[in-house]
């Protein structure tokens, strides 16, 4: 499996309230817009599509206990926990934002699931996942504490110890029977470079003989661009379209083969999926596919038709460019031939002038025509007829 509990590490969201940066990737490797309240199209791929959210979890983390899309409920992506400090310092609020958070409900809440999108390597990602889950757990415990604080006051507002409550339960405001929901965070790593960062919290530890005794955390991560063909084709939702296009975006031949082998997944691609592919690959061709002529009756886009027409247009443009290049090469060759012909003519005329001049000089020296003819024949390599033509002139 490409997705493992300790495979790779993505980036986390930035501090609460951080402004969205106008670039593809933020400082901690998040896709632009993440780490704030703004939803990106990559986030919407899972926030608005329970079937996508359920399938990616079922095929990576929850294979032994899959969830149904119908059992998923949206959770607040803002995780806030208020922690008590020393009395003189009051308390502090911890805030984290998840990309997508959903709970599984089967009559009651059973688990909290979260998706974090990354397209660059974050070398502290195990810790960032720990932060997200920790703040969620701290919030859940704080809610239970506040519930008991209210329950364990009389009408006058004074605290009392309920019957059957142990001192430990009363002091912690947490009963032996109290439970919190487990949190499972899945990191989707979309980056082009293989992950070379830590995949476990312990991989961030300095060398120590006691490191193995410390609490550890394994990451759940799916490395999209390094999924194999079999794993890609195990997806039956639009995720096959998105994952496959992203994986092969830099290899046009493999991309063409993948699309032709999975045409049914490219005939009616949703706008959200198409925008996610565009955001992740920045393929200029995708902007053209968003044109209305590629709209399907289902409201999506026919990527197969769009790509085929663009390839046809590209071939025709290539042919025309080739014809124009051929015409220009022909014109250049013609010009060069003309220049060479002119040079040859010039050399011939210059030679003639030289021979005539030599003949006149020899005559002035008192030589007869026969002697002159013999001399210019030897000197200029002329035949008798050619030599005679100069003598006659």
């Amino acid at each position: 499996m490409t997705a493992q509990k300790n495979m790779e590490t993505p980036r986390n969201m930035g501090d609460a309230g951080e402004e969205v940066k106008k670039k593809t990737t933020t400082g901690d490797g998040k896709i632009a817009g993440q780490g704030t309240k703004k939803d990106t199209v990559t986030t919407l791929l899972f926030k608005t599509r329970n079937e996508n959210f359920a399938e990616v979890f079922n095929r990576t983390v929850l294979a032994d206990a899959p969830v149904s899309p119908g059992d998923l409920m949206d959770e607040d992506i803002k995780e806030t926990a208020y922690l008590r400090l020393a009395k003189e310092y009051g308390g502090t609020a911890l805030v984290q934002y998840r990309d997508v958070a959903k709970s599984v409900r089967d009559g009651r809440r059973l688990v909290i699931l979260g998706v974090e999108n990354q397209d660059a390597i974050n070398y502290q990602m195990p810790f960032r996942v720990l932060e997200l889950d920790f703040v969620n757990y701290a919030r859940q415990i704080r809610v239970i504490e506040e519930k008991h604080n209210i329950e364990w006051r009389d009408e006058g507002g004074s605290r009392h110890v309920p019957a059957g409550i142990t001192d430990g339960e009363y002091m912690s405001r947490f009963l032996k029977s109290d439970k919190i929901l487990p949190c499972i965070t899945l990191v989707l790593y979309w980056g082009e470079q293989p992950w070379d960062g830590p995949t476990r919290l312990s991989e961030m530890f300095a060398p120590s003989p006691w490191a193995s005794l410390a609490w550890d955390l394994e990451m759940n991560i799916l490395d999209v661009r390094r999924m194999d063909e079999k794993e890609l084709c195990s997806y039956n939702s639009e995720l096959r379209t998105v994952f496959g296009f992203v994986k092969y975006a830099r290899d046009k031949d493999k991309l063409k083969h993948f699309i032709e082998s999975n045409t049914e997944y490219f005939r009616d691609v949703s706008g959200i999926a198409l925008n996610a592919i565009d955001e992740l690959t920045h393929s200029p061709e995708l902007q053209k596919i968003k044109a209305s002529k590629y709209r399907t009756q289902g409201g999506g886009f026919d990527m197969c038709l769009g790509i085929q027409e663009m390839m046809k247009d590209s071939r025709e443009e290539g042919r025309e460019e080739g014809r124009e290049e051929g015409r220009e090469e022909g014109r250049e060759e013609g010009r060069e031939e003309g220049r060479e012909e002119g040079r040859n003519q010039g050399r011939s005329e210059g030679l003639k002038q030289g021979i005539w001049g030599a003949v006149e000089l020899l005559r002035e020296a008192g030589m007869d025509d026969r002697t002159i003819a013999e001399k210019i024949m030897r000197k200029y390599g002329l035949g008798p007829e050619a030599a005679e033509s100069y003598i006659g002139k």
Side-chain angles (χ1 to χ4, degrees):
M1 289 286 289
T2 306
Q4 304 173 2
K5 281 199 171 183
N6 56 330
M7 194 167 93
E8 283 147 281
T9 319
R11 0 167 238 266
N12 201 322
M13 25 210 183
D15 295 335
E18 179 184 2
E19 293 183 359
V20 177
K21 297 177 177 59
K22 295 181 179 180
K23 58 181 180 178
T24 304
T25 304
T26 62
D28 60 356
K30 295 296 290 181
I31 296 171
Q34 296 172 347
T36 67
K37 295 181 180 179
K38 178 181 177 180
D39 288 323
T40 67
V41 290
T42 312
T43 297
L44 292 175
L45 188 64
F46 298 96
K47 182 175 181 178
T48 63
R49 297 281 199 276
N50 277 359
E51 60 272 22
N52 293 343
F53 191 97
E55 186 171 34
V56 75
F57 264 94
N58 291 341
R59 297 196 182 281
T60 55
V61 183
L62 307 177
D64 296 331
V67 299
S68 170
D71 292 335
L72 294 174
M73 299 289 291
D74 288 336
E75 293 285 325
D76 192 347
I77 63 170
K78 182 180 179 180
E79 300 278 16
T80 306
Y82 187 79
L83 301 185
R84 292 189 300 272
L85 300 177
K87 185 176 181 180
E88 60 269 28
Y89 298 113
T92 184
L94 300 180
V95 179
Q96 289 287 337
Y97 287 88
R98 291 185 181 272
D99 286 348
V100 186
K102 294 181 183 286
S103 60
V104 178
R105 299 172 185 252
D106 185 9
R108 59 190 178 89
R109 295 168 79 216
L110 302 174
V111 66
I112 304 295
L113 303 177
V115 164
E116 291 299 300
N117 289 298
Q118 298 287 138
D119 68 356
I121 300 170
N122 183 338
Y123 291 94
Q124 60 169 271
M125 196 63 202
F127 170 71
R128 301 300 292 161
V129 172
L130 174 61
E131 279 188 311
L132 286 168
D133 293 347
F134 166 76
V135 173
N136 181 277
Y137 290 142
R139 178 177 59 80
Q140 291 189 59
I141 290 175
R142 186 64 175 169
V143 169
I144 293 173
E145 290 178 344
E146 291 300 322
K147 172 177 174 290
H148 291 322
N149 275 334
I150 295 173
E151 293 174 341
W152 297 348
R153 290 182 183 275
D154 57 28
E155 293 181 359
S158 300
R159 289 186 181 181
H160 68 282
V161 179
I165 300 298
T166 67
D167 289 345
E169 289 175 317
Y170 182 78
M171 292 298 294
S172 66
R173 302 297 190 270
F174 200 87
L175 304 181
K176 182 179 180 180
S177 59
D178 286 330
K179 304 297 178 185
I180 60 176
L181 299 178
C183 292
I184 302 175
T185 299
L186 172 63
V187 177
L188 294 182
Y189 174 56
W190 305 88
E192 294 191 38
Q193 298 301 318
W195 188 267
D196 64 355
T199 59
R200 301 171 63 103
L201 186 64
S202 58
E203 293 174 7
M204 298 176 63
F205 295 164
S208 168
W210 299 282
S212 62
L213 301 177
W215 182 85
D216 203 358
L217 172 135
E218 293 180 286
M219 286 176 44
N220 300 303
I221 184 166
L222 175 62
D223 187 346
V224 174
R225 293 181 191 259
R226 273 150 287 277
M227 297 170 70
D228 59 31
E229 191 85 4
K230 181 178 179 181
E231 190 174 0
L232 280 172
C233 294
S234 70
Y235 284 83
N236 297 315
S237 66
E238 63 186 359
L239 292 183
R240 186 190 298 196
T241 307
V242 177
F243 290 165
F245 199 104
V246 170
K247 175 178 174 63
Y248 296 121
R250 300 294 180 261
D251 190 324
K252 299 305 181 185
D253 290 335
K254 290 183 178 180
L255 177 61
K256 180 175 179 290
H257 173 74
F258 182 79
I259 293 175
E260 290 175 347
S261 301
N262 298 274
T263 54
E264 67 272 26
Y265 290 90
F266 288 87
R267 289 295 186 191
D268 191 8
V269 180
S270 72
I272 289 178
L274 185 59
N275 287 334
I277 295 172
D278 185 18
E279 179 182 82
L280 291 162
T281 66
H282 305 291
S283 299
E285 297 87 356
L286 298 179
Q287 295 297 326
K288 300 177 182 179
I289 294 178
K290 293 178 182 179
S292 58
K293 68 176 181 177
Y294 299 122
R295 278 281 188 181
T296 65
Q297 292 183 349
F301 296 88
D302 189 336
M303 290 185 67
C304 285
L305 178 60
I307 291 174
Q308 287 171 0
E309 290 193 2
M310 282 186 288
M311 291 177 65
K312 179 181 178 182
D313 292 343
S314 296
R315 285 194 295 269
E316 184 54 41
E317 289 174 4
R319 292 192 192 98
E320 181 55 36
E321 289 175 359
R323 286 192 289 267
E324 180 57 34
E325 289 175 1
R327 286 192 289 268
E328 180 58 32
E329 290 176 2
R331 287 192 290 269
E332 182 59 32
E333 289 177 3
R335 286 192 290 269
E336 182 57 34
E337 289 176 1
R339 287 192 290 269
E340 183 61 27
E341 183 178 339
R343 287 192 290 268
N344 291 336
Q345 290 177 353
R347 285 193 291 268
S348 177
E349 291 176 2
L351 179 62
K352 289 178 181 180
Q353 293 292 335
I355 296 172
W356 289 330
V359 169
E360 292 298 326
L361 290 174
L362 293 173
R363 279 181 174 159
E364 290 176 1
M367 292 186 184
D368 57 54
D369 288 349
R370 180 178 179 182
T371 302
I372 293 174
E374 290 175 351
K375 285 184 174 293
I376 64 174
M377 287 173 64
R378 286 196 301 271
K379 181 175 179 62
Y380 297 103
L382 301 177
E385 292 183 2
E388 183 64 30
S389 67
Y390 286 101
I391 297 299
K393 184 178 185 306

